[in-house]
Amino acid sequence: MRVPVSWLREFVDAPESLSPDELHAALVRVGLEEETVHTFGLEGPIVVGRVLEFVDEPQSNGKTIRWCQVDVGESGPRGIVCGAHNFVVGDKVVVTLPGSILPGPFPIAARKTYGHVSDGMIASARELGLGDEHDGILRLAELGLDPEVGADALPILGLDDWAVEVNITPDRGYALSIRGIAREYSHATGAAFRDPALAAPLPEGAAGRPEESNPVTVTLSDNAPVRGNEGCSLFVTRVVRGVDPTRHTPAWMISRLALAGIRSISLVVDISNYVMIELGQPLHAYDLDAIRGGITVRRARKGERLTTLDDQDRALDAEDLLITDEAGPIGLAGVMGGARTENSPSTTNILIEAANFDPVSIARTARRHKLPSEASKRFERGVDPAVAEASAARAVELLVELAGGVAVPDVWRVGSLTPREPIILPGTFANSIVGADFSDSETVDALTAIGAKVSATPDGYSVTPPTWRPDLRDKADLAEEVARIVGYDRIPAVLPIAPPGRGLTREQGMRRAASQMLAANGFTEVLAYPFASKRETSLIGETVPAVELANPLDGAAPYLRTSLIPGLIAIAQRNLSRGLVNLSLFEQGTVFLPSNAVPADGGALPAGDARPSDAVLEELNSTIPRQPLRIATLLLGDVIPKQPGSPAIAAGLPDVLDAARMIAAALGSTVTIKRGTVQGLHPGRTAIVSTAGEQIGFAGELLPSLALELDLPRRVAVVELDLDVLIRLAPRETASSPIAVFPAATQDVSMIVGEDVPAGDVLAEFIAGAGELLENAVLVDDYRGAGLDSGSKSLTFALRFRAADRTLTAAEATEAKLAGVASAAKKFGVVVRE
């Protein structure tokens, strides 16, 4: 919200010396957020000039310039070159003299051009920041101005004004007006506030005239209310006849609207925008003669279309609230009017609409049509229904004063105001929830200052919120207002004492341990977006139906991810494009898998604000996608860089298998590796990862063709594990291994087995048979070739034996080794290779 200070001073006693910083500081004290300061960016001398004479001079480039003599109140005229032709001798104009600065910044200096020395510049409206008009210069007579030649033009045009911008949170829609900001400034400083809504000239005895006397009858017909609320609760109309369509918007209004962020369009439209900014009530001005029959406020019908003021033909939805006449829609209620009834250069009779619409309905329409507007922004947050008649009266006053119209004294109102229900505020509640010590008088004064009606009760207060504060709904809201108005500085700074905790839960500790293990071993944690394209949902791993978003942030990624790998691939692509060729990445996060549950009746919620039953909530919760926690890594490039005398070692399957083992070890578990096949991974370099007999994920290298398609190196290794399952199957308590004090005995064993027997199965059986003396066993070689029968392979394991209470002899180690071989031979028919 932009607040021109001259406008603010009309409704609150702000000192003339008030600076932007002081105004921002005052508004911050009552909870508004400071943004920036807006000015026209002009520096003088910028004065009023009168054109004494000019000569048209055609140029070789086909352009005709005017060599003008302009009186600027000095001893003699100044010669100025001008490219515009919309002025005549005697016109008063705005002259920027050498040394002045225009927005940009664009400094003005005397310079030679078109064979003359131009001693200044005659300015257009756009060059002064008053609008977009740049086809000709600004003629002061068009603005109804006849100032003295040589006078400073900035105060005459309102260009010496400035505005502060504050951010308005969605619950404080009343502050989207000068009226609301002036009230807040009064709260912050104690300055006297004058409510402009009370100053509007309402005709005596004319309010609420019978509808049959209205030249345009109004009917409220909402057959599809949203949340049980009618789309329109109040519709006020006024009529002004005999408006002069040739009248121009005065300079003071143009400058104020420009500072408020609204461009000048025409006098009638500018007046409706001016009143909206001033009082917070969006208005719409119809060409009365273009309306066919009466007006009906209703929902759209199937197949209806509307051409809005931006010349866009829009297909309407059955939930759209419309303003219609007998010929069809003439406006999207609370969002934008229709082109058929807009004001034209021939419009002389005006119908003013000031209505109150349901915030939810307006918000949905604006988003559905991607049509945000200043009006919809206010209706979405809630507009004061009690200000509608005053706003219409203010618009009528300005149309009479500035456009020469004649007001029809009648005020027609359809609908009614719903009185606010009082809120019971216990006497000590504000102090207990805020932690401050507010006196009874401070509480009452604060609530009265915001416009509430306060009456005492035996246990506290009965508070009726003002009509412009729909956000005040319960006693907690009132307590917050007391703290805000009395002052946040009254809230003591007390450091709370944290209760003794139990530390991390088992699951939290294990999730953290898994990440810390990878980070400690050189992996970099990343966070990828949880959104994916259709192809990414089936790029790697098992193809499952993906959850599609109804309103995705990115149309190219409308699905929720089913795997972490595509996100890691996207991050790897981004890093590779920046020259980082050796990557070790990991992510811990959720994936989204569809639920098979289907709610009865489509999961319909009860109408209005009624709470759904526990059974309905349980049924709806069962349809929420499953979100298992997973952990995944990606490696590419060199895992060990090239060094003098040592070649680089590229990352591959062994490295991601090690990552899987590290994750399991961090949780006190072990994993079993078996060869397998996974979509998108190399069939000969893919493994299935299991623990306690349950599959928890996969590891492998991307298909070279897929890596090439993704602009990645030929070898990219990945692993993805279901961390939830791994945590569930991990030991409840992880025992620490004692420090070994006796030496180990190391041996190797090579066993011949069929090629179709997984090495992991052989190793697991060998470990089970070798007994507790076997401390570690690692596969170090998988040989297939000469010296072996067809269909066989030789697996070599490095073994380490140790006893906790003595030094093992070679015979004891050999005996344990042979026990393991015997167990593997019994199950898989292995033969020791000599």
Side-chain angles (χ1 to χ4, degrees):
M1 174 67 188
R2 296 184 180 186
V3 187
V5 67
S6 64
W7 205 345
L8 182 71
R9 287 195 179 105
E10 291 188 4
F11 310 128
V12 69
D13 292 340
E16 290 297 325
S17 60
L18 182 68
S19 70
D21 287 343
E22 290 171 335
L23 179 52
H24 261 148
L27 297 178
V28 167
R29 283 200 298 274
V30 287
L32 299 176
E33 299 177 12
E34 173 184 347
E35 290 289 339
T36 187
V37 177
H38 296 274
T39 66
F40 285 100
L42 299 168
E43 294 184 18
I46 300 176
V47 300
V48 176
R50 181 173 59 237
V51 179
L52 301 178
E53 62 176 337
F54 60 81
V55 177
D56 289 332
E57 298 183 355
Q59 303 298 310
S60 59
N61 60 5
K63 181 178 180 180
T64 298
I65 60 99
R66 284 182 172 181
W67 172 239
C68 308
Q69 298 299 312
V70 183
D71 179 10
V72 294
E74 299 174 338
S75 57
R78 289 182 180 247
I80 298 176
V81 173
C82 183
H85 302 86
N86 67 321
F87 60 93
V88 297
V89 171
D91 275 347
K92 289 186 177 180
V93 296
V94 177
V95 180
T96 58
L97 299 177
S100 61
I101 298 177
L102 298 183
F106 179 62
I108 302 298
R111 64 189 183 94
K112 187 173 183 180
T113 180
Y114 294 109
H116 302 282
V117 175
S118 184
D119 200 14
M121 186 181 77
I122 305 176
S124 69
R126 189 171 75 177
E127 289 162 340
L128 295 171
L130 285 175
D132 297 329
E133 180 62 40
H134 195 56
D135 294 336
I137 64 168
L138 179 65
R139 300 171 59 235
L140 296 179
E142 291 182 349
L143 302 178
L145 298 174
D146 186 23
E148 180 182 350
V149 172
D152 187 353
L154 296 184
I156 293 172
L157 296 174
L159 299 176
D160 58 343
D161 202 1
W162 50 267
V164 297
E165 184 173 353
V166 290
N167 182 38
I168 307 300
T169 53
D171 61 328
R172 300 177 71 180
Y174 70 93
L176 287 172
S177 65
I178 303 298
R179 178 196 186 204
I181 296 296
R183 190 188 302 273
E184 291 301 305
Y185 180 81
S186 173
H187 295 334
T189 63
F193 168 69
R194 298 172 293 278
D195 191 345
L198 302 179
L202 290 171
E204 292 187 10
R209 289 294 299 271
E211 185 59 24
E212 55 266 20
S213 67
N214 193 341
V216 179
T217 59
V218 176
T219 303
L220 305 183
S221 176
D222 182 7
N223 296 323
V226 177
R227 299 187 309 159
N229 297 336
E230 290 184 347
C232 179
S233 58
L234 181 68
F235 201 97
V236 175
T237 54
R238 293 289 303 273
V239 172
V240 179
R241 298 186 181 275
V243 169
D244 183 356
T246 64
R247 295 278 187 99
H248 293 279
T249 305
W252 60 267
M253 183 176 286
I254 294 176
S255 63
R256 283 185 174 180
L257 288 174
L259 278 178
I262 296 179
R263 65 184 179 91
S264 175
I265 298 175
S266 67
L267 179 56
V268 174
V269 175
D270 289 350
I271 287 174
S272 65
N273 285 333
Y274 187 86
V275 175
M276 176 183 67
I277 298 297
E278 184 170 271
L279 297 177
Q281 168 70 58
L283 303 176
H284 191 71
Y286 298 92
D287 183 338
L288 178 62
D289 299 324
I291 298 176
R292 301 289 176 260
I295 284 178
T296 300
V297 183
R298 60 170 174 82
R299 300 287 169 174
R301 295 166 183 159
K302 184 177 181 180
E304 282 191 308
R305 304 186 70 88
L306 171 67
T307 300
T308 45
L309 291 174
D310 57 359
D311 293 324
Q312 297 295 313
D313 181 47
R314 302 179 185 276
L316 301 177
D317 185 271
E319 196 178 289
D320 290 335
L321 189 66
L322 302 180
I323 311 298
T324 68
D325 64 8
E326 292 181 359
I330 59 175
L332 276 173
V335 179
M336 185 173 285
R340 179 161 62 84
T341 55
E342 73 172 315
N343 291 274
S344 68
S346 61
T347 298
T348 58
N349 299 319
I350 304 294
L351 177 73
I352 298 294
E353 165 211 305
N356 193 265
F357 299 113
D358 176 53
V360 173
S361 180
I362 302 306
R364 289 181 178 178
T365 295
R367 284 158 179 74
R368 185 181 301 115
H369 293 280
K370 296 180 174 60
L371 192 61
S373 65
E374 290 293 329
S376 67
K377 180 166 66 174
R378 287 164 173 79
F379 280 123
E380 289 174 17
R381 290 160 171 78
V383 170
D384 180 7
V387 83
E389 290 186 22
S391 299
R394 175 63 167 149
V396 168
E397 177 187 33
L398 292 172
L399 285 170
V400 171
E401 176 186 344
L402 303 177
V406 177
V408 175
D410 296 326
V411 180
W412 292 276
R413 179 179 64 203
V414 180
S416 60
L417 301 179
T418 302
R420 297 293 302 272
E421 293 293 329
I423 301 170
I424 300 302
L425 177 66
T428 60
F429 180 76
N431 289 347
S432 65
I433 195 171
V434 175
D437 186 16
F438 301 127
S439 66
D440 292 344
S441 61
E442 286 177 325
T443 300
V444 173
D445 290 346
L447 295 175
T448 303
I450 65 172
K453 296 179 180 179
V454 185
S455 59
T457 67
D459 299 323
Y461 312 96
S462 175
V463 182
T464 302
T467 54
W468 59 84
R469 294 299 301 273
D471 58 306
L472 301 181
R473 300 178 179 177
D474 54 38
K475 59 184 179 181
D477 296 331
L478 298 178
E480 181 182 353
E481 287 300 294
V482 172
R484 188 175 69 88
I485 299 303
V486 176
Y488 291 127
D489 55 343
R490 287 282 299 278
I491 302 175
V494 178
L495 186 64
I497 300 174
R502 294 174 296 175
L504 300 177
T505 64
R506 174 177 177 271
E507 289 74 16
Q508 290 172 334
M510 287 189 165
R511 290 197 293 268
R512 183 173 296 184
S515 293
Q516 289 177 340
M517 174 64 80
L518 291 175
N521 282 275
F523 287 82
T524 299
E525 185 171 13
V526 296
L527 290 175
Y529 289 113
F531 311 113
S533 65
K534 181 67 174 177
R535 182 169 184 269
E536 286 174 335
T537 61
S538 58
L539 192 66
I540 304 292
E542 180 186 0
T543 301
V544 296
V547 177
E548 185 173 5
L549 298 170
N551 187 25
L553 294 176
D554 183 358
Y559 297 91
L560 291 174
R561 66 186 179 188
T562 57
S563 170
L564 302 182
I565 301 298
L568 292 176
I569 289 175
I571 293 172
Q573 290 171 326
R574 190 175 303 112
N575 281 272
L576 282 170
S577 68
R578 286 158 174 75
L580 302 176
V581 297
N582 300 321
L583 298 175
S584 299
L585 309 176
F586 83 94
E587 180 181 8
Q588 184 181 136
T590 54
V591 298
F592 304 87
L593 305 178
S595 170
N596 296 324
V598 178
D601 300 326
L605 294 174
D609 297 329
R611 183 186 184 277
S613 66
D614 291 341
V616 171
L617 289 175
E618 184 178 355
E619 189 175 20
L620 289 171
N621 286 335
S622 68
T623 67
I624 296 175
R626 293 181 292 113
Q627 301 171 48
L629 183 68
R630 294 188 180 174
I631 189 166
T633 70
L634 179 146
L635 293 95
L636 59 79
D638 296 334
V639 69
I640 297 179
K642 182 179 180 180
Q643 302 177 46
S646 176
I649 299 178
L653 176 61
D655 302 293
V656 289
L657 292 178
D658 282 344
R661 295 186 183 101
M662 285 189 289
I663 295 170
L667 275 57
S669 295
T670 58
V671 293
T672 302
I673 309 297
K674 290 185 179 181
R675 187 170 65 182
T677 57
V678 174
Q679 179 176 296
L681 300 185
H682 193 298
R685 303 190 65 80
T686 300
I688 302 300
V689 183
S690 304
T691 186
E694 187 170 339
Q695 181 176 327
I696 60 170
F698 60 84
E701 297 177 9
L702 294 188
L703 283 168
S705 59
L706 179 60
L708 181 63
E709 180 184 345
L710 297 172
D711 296 322
L712 297 174
R714 181 178 178 84
R715 178 175 289 186
V716 179
V718 297
V719 62
E720 182 169 12
L721 305 179
D722 191 323
L723 197 54
D724 281 342
V725 175
L726 190 55
I727 291 174
R728 174 170 57 82
L729 297 177
R732 302 297 299 181
E733 295 182 3
T734 303
S736 300
S737 300
I739 298 176
V741 296
F742 291 96
T746 57
Q747 295 190 17
D748 292 337
V749 63
S750 296
M751 293 179 284
I752 301 173
V753 69
E755 284 186 344
D756 59 338
V757 179
D761 290 352
V762 175
L763 178 59
E765 190 62 29
F766 179 87
I767 292 174
E772 62 181 12
L773 293 181
L774 180 61
E775 185 178 75
N776 189 45
V778 178
L779 177 68
V780 295
D781 188 37
D782 183 340
Y783 173 75
R784 310 174 193 209
L788 296 179
D789 295 337
S790 177
S792 298
K793 61 183 177 183
S794 173
L795 304 177
T796 302
F797 299 94
L799 311 175
R800 184 172 70 240
F801 298 92
R802 193 193 308 269
D805 57 351
R806 66 188 187 281
T807 300
L808 285 180
T809 64
E812 289 177 309
T814 300
E815 182 181 355
K817 177 180 72 173
L818 294 177
V821 170
S823 180
K826 182 177 180 181
K827 187 168 184 177
F828 300 111
V830 303
V831 176
V832 175
R833 183 183 178 195
E834 301 297 336

